[in-house]
Amino acid sequence: MIEVSFDGASVGNPGLAGGGVYINSGGSEIRESIPLGVLSSNHEAEFAALVQALQYCLEKGYRSVSFRTDSQLVNQALEKRYVKKAEYAHYLERALTLIDRFDLFFCKWIPDEKNRNADALARFAIRKQQNADKSECGPL
């Protein structure tokens, strides 16, 4: 079983957002920083990161995965297969569609301090976007 930690982060509401995916597969590590553009909130970034992590795992051919998240909102939405806020509903629908393609899927809530790898990757994705925005401005 592949262990996948994911996290979303944003600077501002709305603001630039990033996703981080950290995979530990039999001692080898995979780290992905995913720029997510401008999103409405950190919660939206968490849902977007979930979808990105699921897509990544399917593209790599992983069939049995155990996801870890520090977002109680995302974890509860997956458990209940329901989310209150309409702005997250399409992310949940997409995630559930992707989850159905796995042979085995688990998701577990973990505290922030146990999700540092994915958090650092999400924050790196934001920095990449900020640096790209600065370089597009050019000299005055």
Side-chain angles (χ1 to χ4, degrees), residues 59-94:
E59 288 168 8
K60 293 296 179 185
Y62 303 143
R63 304 302 304 159
S64 299
V65 293
S66 179
F67 272 45
R68 306 283 190 266
T69 179
D70 59 16
S71 170
Q72 290 181 346
L73 177 66
V74 168
N75 192 57
Q76 289 172 357
L78 289 172
E79 285 178 359
K80 296 177 181 177
R81 300 178 72 91
Y82 171 79
V83 67
K84 270 187 195 179
K85 290 197 173 192
E87 66 184 295
Y88 310 137
H90 72 282
Y91 290 107
L92 180 60
E93 288 172 24
R94 179 71 178 134

Side-chain angles (χ1 to χ4, degrees), residues 4-15:
V4 180
S5 297
F6 72 94
D7 200 14
S10 69
V11 288
N13 293 317

Side-chain angles (χ1 to χ4, degrees), residues 15-113:
L16 282 177
V21 179
Y22 175 78
I23 299 173
N24 187 344
S25 174
S28 67
E29 296 177 337
I30 299 169
R31 298 169 186 267
E32 291 291 322
S33 289
I34 306 158
L36 298 173
V38 176
L39 296 179
S40 66
S41 67
N42 187 64
H43 291 308
E44 185 178 8
E46 296 278 5
F47 278 102
L50 165 67
V51 170
Q52 292 293 320
L54 290 165
Q55 289 175 330
Y56 180 85
C57 288
L58 286 168
E59 288 168 8
K60 293 296 179 185
Y62 303 143
R63 304 302 304 159
S64 299
V65 293
S66 179
F67 272 45
R68 306 283 190 266
T69 179
D70 59 16
S71 170
Q72 290 181 346
L73 177 66
V74 168
N75 192 57
Q76 289 172 357
L78 289 172
E79 285 178 359
K80 296 177 181 177
R81 300 178 72 91
Y82 171 79
V83 67
K84 270 187 195 179
K85 290 197 173 192
E87 66 184 295
Y88 310 137
H90 72 282
Y91 290 107
L92 180 60
E93 288 172 24
R94 179 71 178 134
L96 294 173
T97 299
L98 294 169
I99 288 167
D100 287 343
R101 295 173 54 192
F102 290 95
D103 295 334
L104 272 172
F105 174 86
F106 297 99
C107 189
K108 178 183 176 181
W109 176 83
I110 58 173
D112 292 341
E113 61 269 7

